[in-house]
Amino acid sequence: MGNALRFLYGHCCKPTTAGDSDSLGPHGVSAATVGVSALARDLFHFEITSQVPEGLDKHVVSSKKAQANWYRKLLEAWKEAKPQPETPEEVARLVVQTLKRHLKADVEGLLAFYGLQLPHPLAQVSAGGPTSLPQGVKFEMQTLPVDPKAVADGDTITVYVSTTDTRESSSVPGEVHMAAVQRSKARAERNYGKADALQKKIVEAGYRVINVQNEEILARKYRIRLRGIDAPESSMPYGKEAKEELANLVQGKCLRVFVYGEDRYRRCVGDIYCNGLFVQEVMLKKGLAWHYTAYDKRLELETWEKEARAKRVGLWASSNPEMPWEWRKDRREGR
């Protein structure tokens, strides 16, 4: 514990040259590292002196005694965290999770004191999801209603986004636009063979004309890999149940997807919200997915998996369920 804090303090808070002073944040370190390093420094000092940092009073409403209680809790949480937080997002989540029973004004004030952004809180899961783009999001998409057949398994969905969307409208290839117009004309003339051929051309380009409430909409195709979870493969125990649960959740719904990046299979990796529900939360709490810790360190996902384990729901009814990443590795190696 102490060694970890000393490392962060020494690594991030080492003295800078005079020429660097213009880029320093309020705690005397660079703006890029102020959140992590400043909190590490203050926890390190608190462990030695039991004193909270000067200036915190201006950001929070509770007493010095209450503030000391927060730092004791944060010290213990940091000690138990495996792996320990390193990025601003991970540190912010540790603070929110550790102090979730304290006043909202205090938690937000503490984060502001360290220049950390408030992560989208668990309470928002039932209230429509984040009201602004969470940290690290590349872009947001609003999908057309999802076909249940587009659910490949418990952690992968194919979705479509209308090309009238602001982000999509400027990037539609000209030949796709033309094919969609020609297809519409062919259907009006009942030339269905030509219409089908044009639809095939559109699909090959990564688009599709979809009928939504008797209106034909040109839409772009995206494959979404649910960020932070790994569901059983279809041929594994509970693979069928995981796929069915995800299909039931999203069937006919318009999804809100926050995209963080792309995986090696060119799938968008993202958080999905459906009618205000955080889909990954539902899958974890029902015991139909693992928290994919190799790629995701969010504390709330870890908590939801632990809750399902404790209740022995879903795949956790088995005493030793096989992990999908190990299952895939065995298949690759021919075992």
Side-chain angles (χ1 to χ4, degrees):
M1 167 61 189
N3 289 338
L5 289 174
R6 287 187 188 94
F7 172 78
L8 279 172
Y9 179 34
H11 179 69
C12 300
C13 300
K14 56 190 176 185
T16 57
T17 63
D20 294 330
S21 60
D22 290 342
S23 63
L24 297 184
H27 288 78
V29 294
S30 71
T33 59
V34 63
V36 178
S37 58
L39 180 57
R41 182 195 66 181
D42 290 343
L43 288 174
F44 177 61
H45 286 176
F46 181 83
E47 189 174 29
I48 298 169
T49 67
S50 297
Q51 298 294 312
V52 299
E54 291 295 326
L56 182 59
D57 283 339
K58 297 177 182 179
H59 292 78
V60 299
V61 297
S62 292
S63 66
K64 287 275 189 183
K65 182 177 180 181
Q67 294 168 28
N69 186 35
W70 307 339
Y71 279 77
R72 276 191 290 271
K73 288 183 176 182
L74 288 170
L75 271 169
E76 188 62 28
W78 201 308
K79 179 180 179 181
E80 293 179 355
K82 296 185 186 308
Q84 291 183 335
E86 296 179 355
T87 68
E89 183 183 25
E90 290 169 356
V91 171
R93 291 188 181 283
L94 177 73
V95 172
V96 170
Q97 187 72 13
T98 304
L99 304 180
K100 61 185 177 182
R101 297 185 184 278
H102 293 265
L103 292 175
K104 181 181 178 182
D106 283 331
V107 177
E108 292 180 349
L110 184 64
L111 290 174
F113 180 66
Y114 289 107
L116 297 168
Q117 294 185 20
L118 182 69
H120 55 287
L122 308 189
Q124 290 182 327
V125 167
S126 301
T131 56
S132 60
L133 287 185
Q135 188 175 3
V137 171
K138 304 295 184 185
F139 63 92
E140 176 184 353
M141 65 173 74
Q142 302 276 351
T143 78
L144 294 172
V146 175
D147 184 340
K149 294 179 182 177
V151 176
D153 51 38
D155 55 37
T156 305
I157 310 174
T158 296
V159 301
Y160 288 88
V161 178
S162 172
T163 54
T164 60
D165 178 271
T166 304
R167 183 176 175 274
E168 299 293 341
S169 60
S170 61
S171 60
V172 182
E175 60 270 23
V176 172
H177 233 312
M178 181 61 68
V181 172
Q182 292 173 347
R183 178 185 178 277
S184 179
K185 183 178 179 181
R187 285 183 63 82
E189 296 171 348
R190 298 189 177 183
N191 188 345
Y192 299 119
K194 182 178 180 180
D196 289 346
L198 288 165
Q199 176 78 315
K200 182 179 179 182
K201 180 179 180 180
I202 293 168
V203 168
E204 288 173 350
Y207 291 79
R208 180 180 289 274
V209 177
I210 298 175
N211 189 291
V212 179
Q213 296 179 346
N214 296 320
E215 179 185 358
E216 294 207 323
I217 298 174
L218 177 63
R220 184 176 177 181
K221 176 183 177 181
Y222 288 94
R223 291 179 68 218
I224 310 296
R225 176 65 167 82
L226 275 66
R227 175 178 176 242
I229 69 171
D230 199 1
E233 299 294 335
S234 298
S235 57
M236 294 177 65
Y238 287 93
K240 180 180 177 182
E241 289 84 348
K243 178 179 177 179
E244 289 178 351
E245 178 62 31
L246 184 55
N248 288 338
L249 269 173
V250 302
Q251 180 177 358
K253 306 292 196 313
C254 296
L255 307 179
R256 189 181 183 194
V257 184
F258 293 100
V259 177
Y260 286 80
E262 191 173 85
D263 69 8
R264 59 179 173 170
Y265 302 108
R266 302 193 69 181
R267 298 175 297 187
C268 292
V269 179
D271 287 344
I272 298 182
Y273 289 83
C274 177
N275 283 357
L277 292 175
F278 183 29
V279 172
Q280 283 97 311
E281 177 181 354
V282 175
M283 297 300 289
L284 286 167
K285 284 185 171 180
K286 291 197 172 186
L288 295 172
W290 277 257
H291 177 204
Y292 208 174
T293 56
Y295 298 96
D296 192 288
K297 308 300 181 186
R298 285 178 285 180
L299 294 174
E300 60 267 42
L301 272 66
E302 177 185 346
T303 298
W304 296 330
E305 182 189 291
K306 286 180 178 178
E307 289 176 3
R309 282 176 180 258
K311 295 176 181 176
R312 301 188 67 82
V313 297
L315 61 90
W316 303 115
S318 170
S319 59
N320 188 29
E322 186 175 9
M323 295 171 285
W325 54 89
E326 293 293 343
W327 185 91
R328 292 190 295 267
K329 181 181 177 182
D330 288 346
R331 296 304 178 278
R332 286 196 300 270
E333 296 175 355
R335 290 189 231 168

